[in-house]
Each structure stands twice: as C-alpha cells, then as structure tokens.
Amino acid sequence: MSYAIAVDIGGTFTDLVAFDHDSQKVLYDKSPTTYDNLVTGILDCFNKAQIKPAAASLVNHGTTLVINSLIERKGSRAALVTSKGFRDILEIARGNRPDPFDLQYQRDEPLIPRELRLEVPERMGSKGEVVTALDIPALEQLAGEIKKLGVESVAIFFMNSYINPAHEEAAAEKLKQLLPNVYVTFSTDLTREWYEYERCSTVAANAYVGPLVSTYIRRLDDDLKQQGFGGSLFMMGSNGGLLSAERTCRQPIGLVESGPIGGCIGASAYAEKLGVKNVVAFDMGGTTAKCALVE
C-alpha cells in the first residue's frame, strides 16, 4: 500500500488528503491546528485517516504559516546587516502610495526596526567591481553587538550584490560561524533582483519568518522519519511548484502564497474539465481569505 499525501496547515484546521495508488481511492481528514507544536496536528490527521507515515511515498505540504506570521506580525526578532549608509532603505522604500488621495495614509512599520539595522563598511560597484572591501573586523564587532540584542535571525543586504554576491556570501559565512544559534540569510540567496528595496525587503521578510518555519520543517521531517517515512517531503511554493525541505529552510519566504496556490491549481483543473475559460478561486481560512482569478 502506497499513498501520496497532501497536508495543509491553516489558522484553524490542519487538513490531509491521501491518494491510495493501489485502490485508486482518495481519503480526507482534518484536525484542529495545534499551535504549540504544528506537527501534532499533521500526525493527528494521519491517525484519523488510519494511515502510517511509513506507507506514504510522498508528502506534499502547503501552509499559510508564512503569510499569517507576516500579517499578524508574529515573526522573529530580526536584525539587518547592510552597507554603510543604507540602513534606512527599508523605510525609504518606494515613492508610490496604495491610496494616493488619502492624506492620512501611513505605511506599515518595517519588519526590522531601525535600532536593529546595523551597517558595515563595504561596497560593490555597478559592474561588480570591489569599491570598498568588506571590513571583516567591523563585521566581527557587529556580531558581538548582535549577540547583545538578543535577536533570533539576521538578514544581510549589500548594495549591488545582485551583480557580485561575494561580500554577502562572505558575511553570511562569517556570521554563521560567530552566531551559531542565529538564523542567517542573505539577499542574493533569495533573488538577484537589481532593485535594492525589493531585495532588502525580501531578505528582511525571510529573516522575520525563518526561525519559525525552519524549526517547524526540520521537526516535521524528523518526526515523520521516526515513524518510518522514507519518501520525499516537499513544500508547496508560491509559484505552484515544489520546494525541498532543505531549500524551504533557507528560503521560507518562497511559501508566502503556499496556502492558496493549491486551490488555484485545483480550480483551474476543474474549470478545464468543465470547459470554463475563466474562474474565480476563493479560500476562506481562519486567519486570512484569499482570492484568485484564473484566466
């Protein structure tokens, strides 16, 4: 007996769908989401469906954990290490306003407050040449300051790293050595977008949700293996593709639309079978509601 398993963690319920390759049957079950240990809700679903993890060849996991953490501001205490003179990129952002006629409009506060944004001397030129070498002694001093700040994660963003990520990579390696219990992420490991605000805000968000997601994924992977699971564990990426557990721990921001994207793909498949060219997919969850147009 071999099953392909799909699980989804929402703000209220954890759901499981299993496809039995032998009988060609589909099984469903659900359990309340267990916030003290999210893995417990998934294992409860396995028990209710009377399926042992050892009988599964594939587990595909979607979750609204990342988007809920961002919306509810329940992420980790994170620091930002950036090029000297650029600590305020997160607040300067872009000049566009979602509501241009609202004179009282104010942006949300940055995910990383100013007192946790630190600078280090370094600079790459626009063609990838080293203008100012990365100041390793200054970075080591920053690591000492970061320890005192009691942060759980560190985001690294340097100017023009999109064309030459050497300084970011070196800084990340050094900080991982000096801060072994801190989650470290750098912008070019996530995107090579050349706009500085887009890369900075992305790595800040990744650091904000990183400790929560990576701890959970590793625990899920370990608990499933302890119960005999020998198949592949994948996470549903925002693009509708699959991410390995290892990559998810490095790039949890890739799960920001992990919850609704499976519903979009399912709605599209139904619409195609019904001969409907355009369809609206809507998902009402316990924390967020999501809507998508499939053309």
Side-chain angles (χ1 to χ4, degrees):
M1 190 177 295
S2 177
Y3 291 94
I5 308 287
V7 292
D8 177 80
I9 291 181
T12 306
F13 288 107
T14 296
D15 295 278
L16 179 146
V17 178
F19 177 71
D20 186 340
H21 289 288
D22 296 334
S23 67
Q24 298 288 293
K25 291 182 178 179
V26 179
L27 305 174
Y28 305 87
D29 237 303
K30 73 188 318 112
S31 178
T33 294
T34 49
Y35 278 98
D36 55 333
N37 182 354
L38 295 170
V39 178
T40 302
I42 292 178
L43 296 180
D44 284 346
C45 287
F46 271 93
N47 290 332
K48 288 181 178 179
Q50 297 183 335
I51 298 172
K52 295 184 181 297
S57 58
L58 166 72
V59 174
N60 186 17
H61 186 0
T63 178
T64 54
L65 182 62
V66 172
I67 188 63
N68 290 355
S69 296
L70 292 170
I71 289 175
E72 296 179 301
R73 292 298 180 108
K74 291 183 178 179
S76 304
R77 179 176 168 85
L80 173 68
V81 173
T82 187
S83 307
K84 188 173 179 61
F86 292 93
R87 68 189 290 202
D88 291 320
I89 280 180
L90 273 182
E91 275 179 288
I92 294 171
R94 293 289 174 204
N96 60 316
R97 287 154 51 111
D99 189 348
F101 300 107
D102 182 1
L103 299 181
Q104 307 302 317
Y105 173 77
Q106 291 187 345
R107 294 180 184 275
D108 292 332
E109 291 294 319
L111 294 174
I112 302 177
R114 197 171 196 268
E115 62 270 19
L116 297 181
R117 302 198 298 261
L118 311 171
E119 299 177 350
V120 63
E122 75 80 40
R123 191 61 188 267
M124 287 289 182
S126 61
K127 296 181 180 179
E129 75 279 12
V130 177
V131 176
T132 302
L134 175 63
D135 191 332
I136 297 297
L139 186 66
E140 292 172 341
Q141 186 176 345
L142 276 188
E145 294 181 33
I146 290 171
K147 285 182 181 177
K148 297 175 184 176
L149 292 171
V151 301
E152 300 169 80
S153 59
V154 175
I156 302 170
F157 161 77
F158 292 152
M159 289 296 292
N160 292 326
S161 59
Y162 72 94
I163 197 167
N164 185 349
H167 283 179
E168 280 194 358
E169 291 170 351
E173 184 177 353
K174 176 60 70 173
L175 288 179
K176 286 177 182 178
Q177 293 172 2
L178 298 172
L179 305 168
N181 297 319
V182 174
Y183 182 90
V184 177
T185 179
F186 57 101
S187 75
T188 47
D189 191 39
L190 307 172
T191 174
R192 298 295 282 266
E193 169 66 58
W194 68 278
Y195 284 116
E196 60 267 20
Y197 171 65
E198 281 70 11
R199 275 187 297 114
C200 189
S201 60
T202 299
V203 75
N206 201 61
Y208 191 70
V209 301
L212 173 68
V213 175
S214 60
T215 299
Y216 162 64
I217 296 300
R218 290 192 179 99
R219 179 183 293 171
L220 174 62
D221 195 29
D222 290 343
D223 286 2
L224 287 175
K225 286 177 180 176
Q226 286 177 12
Q227 297 202 25
F229 175 64
S232 301
L233 171 63
F234 290 107
M235 302 298 293
M236 196 78 179
S238 298
N239 62 355
L242 301 180
L243 301 177
S244 67
E246 183 276 330
R247 184 173 177 181
T248 301
C249 291
R250 283 180 27 236
Q251 304 174 346
I253 198 63
L255 304 184
V256 71
E257 295 296 347
S258 174
I261 191 64
C264 296
I265 295 171
S268 178
Y270 274 115
E272 186 176 12
K273 293 296 184 182
L274 295 170
V276 179
K277 291 185 177 180
N278 300 313
V279 63
V280 173
F282 182 78
D283 176 13
M284 173 66 76
T287 309
T288 54
K290 286 78 68 176
C291 182
L293 173 64
V294 181
E295 294 184 283

